[in-house]
Amino acid sequence: QVQLVESGGGLVQAGGSLRLSCVVTGSSDFTLQTVGWYRQAPGKTREFVADIMTRGSRDIRAYSDSVRGRFTISRDNAKKTLFLQMNNLKPEDTGVYYCNRATIDWGQGIQVTVSS
């Protein structure tokens, strides 16, 4: 059974930084799969934040327009861990952040709150 466990969330002031981590267990082909981050703000639907796929020696990244240039997604395939470095955080980045594997499996989510 695949499990995804997020960590690293919390409360930060606007302009600050946080780094989210997601450890994936039970997956035998983590390196071949696209993994990513989504978020859900209060009263809104879940939205795409960023994802990453590994093809050969290259990592191919995609970002939503709202976070491009501020967030960086990365992965450690040996440790089956996904990261999201979030810089210059804004109050509108507040929400529950979810780790996703191959659009199938989800983590339980972790709260990120950015105060103004």
Side-chain angles (χ1 to χ4, degrees):
Q1 181 179 357
V2 177
Q3 289 188 321
L4 296 81
V5 180
E6 300 101 336
S7 62
L11 173 64
V12 64
Q13 289 188 333
S17 298
L18 284 173
R19 189 190 194 209
L20 303 183
S21 299
C22 172
V23 177
V24 181
T25 59
S27 173
S28 61
D29 54 357
F30 176 82
T31 302
L32 300 177
Q33 293 169 335
T34 299
V35 286
W37 294 94
Y38 291 70
R39 67 187 182 189
Q40 187 166 13
K44 295 188 177 181
T45 58
R46 192 173 298 185
E47 65 174 4
F48 170 79
V49 175
D51 68 17
I52 184 170
M53 66 176 73
T54 300
R55 292 296 179 264
S57 60
R58 295 178 57 224
D59 284 334
I60 302 170
R61 298 170 173 85
Y63 296 96
S64 69
D65 289 342
S66 62
V67 308
R68 187 177 294 110
R70 299 187 297 121
F71 291 10
T72 301
I73 189 170
S74 61
R75 65 193 295 170
D76 183 332
N77 289 327
K79 296 182 178 179
K80 295 184 179 181
T81 302
L82 178 67
F83 303 99
L84 185 68
Q85 178 66 44
M86 305 185 293
N87 297 329
N88 190 22
L89 282 159
K90 303 176 180 180
E92 52 263 43
D93 294 318
T94 294
V96 178
Y97 283 68
Y98 296 90
C99 177
N100 174 269
R101 183 195 74 97
T103 72
I104 297 172
D105 299 300
W106 296 90
Q108 80 285 356
I110 193 162
Q111 180 69 43
V112 171
T113 303
V114 184
S115 62
S116 58

